[in-house]
Amino acid sequence: MIASGIMLFIFLSSSAQMTMPDYVISGQTRHYYVNPSPVSGSTYTWFIDGDEVQGNSTTEIEFIWDSSKVYIIEVQELSAEGCRGSKKSGLVYVNPPPDIRISVSDTMVCDGESVTISVANPSRLIWGKWLYDLVVEPGPGVMGNMLNGTYEGPADLTETLSNNGGELQSVVYRFIPVIENSEGERVDEGEEEEVTVWVRSGSVC
């Protein structure tokens, strides 16, 4: 008989483990097991959302979570005598990968003009918090841009930019989406999005 519930095996050491539920990012592979000391002759059937996982009859399973939703993972033991045990189950919460969408009102402004950069989260998270890191790289003589930092939630960022450099300069904005868990730990980063805004000097406009 299965002595304990489904456990998540963590690849940090040979003995690392944690109980369910599990919190996953789509595309990740996880390793689950029951009965660290299995009963001789027993076989095990694994199910995900009620569907049997083919090709596995052991106490362990590796699975790639490729779609965002809440899943039920179950395992049932069949003893050597043909007796079926009760199913053990756990929940798996699968997030989409962190993503970010950026749009800008204009990519060329005059000295003292404003530009609005819209930041959106296109993915609906099941767990955790969506954040983004912003790295701002102004050219020589450009002022009025916001500072580097980590920000929460979608927003419209309005910048009034000035250029004292005497020639055309740029500000590069780099946005990196992040998922943070309930303990405040970063668990995944998405692909960076970059926007460049050019700022004319006062003598040109």
Side-chain angles (χ1 to χ4, degrees):
M1 132 180 156
I2 297 176
S4 61
I6 298 171
M7 308 288 284
L8 170 64
F9 191 91
I10 307 296
F11 293 98
L12 298 179
S13 70
S14 58
S15 61
Q17 63 186 43
M18 64 178 289
T19 57
M20 304 295 280
D22 189 17
Y23 299 91
V24 187
I25 305 296
S26 177
Q28 290 182 335
T29 300
R30 295 297 231 215
H31 183 178
Y32 306 96
Y33 74 97
V34 289
N35 282 7
S37 300
V39 178
S40 177
S42 288
T43 58
Y44 299 80
T45 303
W46 291 84
F47 305 86
I48 294 176
D49 283 350
D51 295 327
E52 182 178 339
V53 179
Q54 301 295 322
N56 191 310
S57 60
T58 70
T59 59
E60 300 183 22
I61 187 173
E62 279 192 359
F63 194 81
I64 301 174
W65 300 103
D66 56 9
S67 297
S68 174
K69 60 172 283 188
V70 181
Y71 295 86
I72 299 176
I73 182 170
E74 299 171 295
V75 62
Q76 187 175 35
E77 181 180 1
L78 177 65
S79 71
E81 293 76 29
C83 297
R84 291 193 179 276
S86 59
K87 288 183 179 180
K88 299 293 184 180
S89 64
L91 291 175
V92 181
Y93 297 87
V94 183
N95 263 345
D99 197 3
I100 194 166
R101 296 280 173 81
I102 306 298
S103 60
V104 60
S105 61
D106 204 339
T107 57
M108 180 79 71
V109 296
C110 291
D111 178 42
E113 287 187 337
S114 296
V115 61
T116 299
I117 302 173
S118 297
V119 182
N121 174 15
S123 303
R124 184 183 296 274
L125 298 187
I126 295 174
W127 59 271
K129 182 189 295 184
W130 181 85
L131 312 169
Y132 61 93
D133 292 332
L134 174 58
V135 179
V136 185
E137 300 169 342
V142 175
M143 295 183 294
N145 55 274
M146 64 191 310
L147 301 177
N148 297 344
T150 299
Y151 300 89
E152 297 183 18
D156 289 333
L157 311 176
T158 299
E159 306 267 77
T160 301
L161 300 173
S162 60
N163 178 4
N164 299 324
E167 59 184 33
L168 184 66
Q169 297 290 348
S170 67
V171 185
V172 178
Y173 300 84
R174 298 194 287 117
F175 298 82
I176 303 99
V178 176
I179 294 178
E180 183 180 272
N181 65 18
S182 58
E183 285 75 44
E185 301 167 332
R186 293 178 170 223
V187 295
D188 200 22
E189 288 188 0
E191 293 187 7
E192 177 182 303
E193 292 287 333
E194 182 178 296
V195 170
T196 300
V197 178
W198 293 90
V199 188
R200 294 188 177 99
S201 68
S203 61
V204 175
C205 292

